Amino acid sequence: ALMPSISTAISRKQQPNTNTFYFITFTCYEWISLFEITNLYSYIYECFDHLELRKIYNCGYVIMPNHLHMLVYMANNEKTINKIIGESKRFMAYEIVKRLEKLRRFDLLNALGQSVTQHERRKKKKHNVFRPSEDIKEIMTEKFIRQKLNYMHKNPVSGKWKLVENYLDYIHSSARFYELGEEGVFHVYHYQEINNPA
């Protein structure tokens, strides 16, 4: 299948390592709540499934209205994490545009289209759906893993976000799995179990 020619900001810094943990963030263009507007949540879970088929195991996540964080264990030896995540973002971007067209949100489509540079247009790119950002970081220590999980899980109640009273009640998150041992909407791997998935 031909890959849709749509915005994908692949992290500038290539991450060649495999059999290691990564913290990944996607942020919608200009922080617009595109996941919420297009109700993309179940599609994102499908993308998580697809990543797992490619040996990128989800060890924690939160899907916010306009960005998502994931902690993954990368065990794919064929491609870099940048390449695989870049493809996932492309599919997501394509789906968001399709849904915006269906919703007749031409205001948003115009905004996403106007930011595309001449150079990008020549490469057949039509919309910037995500912010270009350094969004893939290798995580080396357990301390950092715990820090990232805590940061991610508290996201729905931090700063301007008051999506729920208690962060454990936010459905699009792996918080309950880590704090209460309850399976959430999406099955995640406990990072301690995967540390040695030989």
Side-chain angles (χ1 to χ4, degrees), residues 182-198:
E182 280 178 23
E183 189 74 57
V185 178
F186 187 80
H187 164 74
V188 290
Y189 294 87
H190 197 293
Y191 73 87
Q192 285 169 328
E193 284 166 28
I194 212 162
N195 234 331
N196 220 335

Side-chain angles (χ1 to χ4, degrees), residues 8-24:
T8 145
I10 295 181
S11 170
R12 301 282 167 268
K13 186 172 184 299
Q14 290 298 313
Q15 299 282 7
N17 295 341
T18 188
N19 299 318
T20 185
F21 289 95
Y22 286 101
F23 180 65
I24 299 171

Side-chain angles (χ1 to χ4, degrees), residues 119-180:
H119 176 67
E120 290 170 323
R121 272 181 217 287
R122 279 199 289 278
K123 291 182 175 172
K124 301 274 185 279
K125 184 162 144 185
K126 295 193 179 92
H127 301 93
N128 272 317
V129 175
F130 293 110
R131 287 167 59 102
S133 58
E134 281 294 316
D135 52 9
I136 301 175
K137 291 186 182 73
E138 190 173 358
I139 304 293
M140 308 295 227
T141 66
E142 179 162 10
K143 186 186 165 201
F144 257 141
I145 287 176
R146 297 175 75 95
Q147 223 176 326
K148 290 298 186 194
L149 284 170
N150 185 48
Y151 166 76
M152 188 156 46
H153 292 152
K154 301 275 171 69
N155 218 194
V157 295
S158 64
K160 65 182 177 72
W161 294 109
K162 290 284 177 275
L163 298 175
V164 281
E165 284 296 306
N166 181 335
Y167 71 94
L168 291 173
D169 295 334
Y170 188 65
I171 185 171
H172 299 297
S173 153
S174 53
R176 291 180 84 85
F177 171 75
Y178 277 99
E179 306 259 338
L180 307 171

Side-chain angles (χ1 to χ4, degrees), residues 12-198:
R12 301 282 167 268
K13 186 172 184 299
Q14 290 298 313
Q15 299 282 7
N17 295 341
T18 188
N19 299 318
T20 185
F21 289 95
Y22 286 101
F23 180 65
I24 299 171
T25 302
F26 300 179
T27 305
C28 296
Y29 177 72
E30 294 294 1
W31 297 89
I32 301 167
S33 292
L34 294 172
F35 296 154
E36 187 175 49
I37 292 163
T38 59
N39 193 18
L40 202 72
Y41 302 102
S42 61
Y43 186 86
I44 292 171
Y45 291 124
E46 283 174 35
C47 290
F48 289 173
D49 276 331
H50 184 68
L51 288 173
E52 188 171 322
L53 292 174
R54 305 185 72 181
K55 297 193 169 85
I56 294 182
Y57 300 102
N58 200 317
C59 299
Y61 68 91
V62 64
I63 308 171
M64 301 289 284
N66 62 6
H67 65 285
L68 74 85
H69 298 296
M70 284 188 275
L71 175 77
V72 301
Y73 185 82
M74 162 73 170
N76 185 315
N77 297 315
E78 266 97 68
K79 286 185 167 180
T80 64
I81 187 125
N82 300 71
K83 194 115 186 100
I84 298 170
I85 293 298
E87 288 167 9
S88 263
K89 277 176 88 168
R90 232 181 342 263
F91 279 121
M92 264 184 221
Y94 191 57
E95 186 64 22
I96 286 170
V97 167
K98 211 165 83 182
R99 292 182 183 207
L100 288 173
E101 283 168 350
K102 218 168 166 177
L103 292 165
R104 306 184 68 78
R105 289 301 303 269
F106 302 117
D107 55 329
L108 290 174
L109 288 164
N110 286 340
L112 301 180
Q114 279 165 357
S115 64
V116 179
T117 65
Q118 283 303 113
H119 176 67
E120 290 170 323
R121 272 181 217 287
R122 279 199 289 278
K123 291 182 175 172
K124 301 274 185 279
K125 184 162 144 185
K126 295 193 179 92
H127 301 93
N128 272 317
V129 175
F130 293 110
R131 287 167 59 102
S133 58
E134 281 294 316
D135 52 9
I136 301 175
K137 291 186 182 73
E138 190 173 358
I139 304 293
M140 308 295 227
T141 66
E142 179 162 10
K143 186 186 165 201
F144 257 141
I145 287 176
R146 297 175 75 95
Q147 223 176 326
K148 290 298 186 194
L149 284 170
N150 185 48
Y151 166 76
M152 188 156 46
H153 292 152
K154 301 275 171 69
N155 218 194
V157 295
S158 64
K160 65 182 177 72
W161 294 109
K162 290 284 177 275
L163 298 175
V164 281
E165 284 296 306
N166 181 335
Y167 71 94
L168 291 173
D169 295 334
Y170 188 65
I171 185 171
H172 299 297
S173 153
S174 53
R176 291 180 84 85
F177 171 75
Y178 277 99
E179 306 259 338
L180 307 171
E182 280 178 23
E183 189 74 57
V185 178
F186 187 80
H187 164 74
V188 290
Y189 294 87
H190 197 293
Y191 73 87
Q192 285 169 328
E193 284 166 28
I194 212 162
N195 234 331
N196 220 335

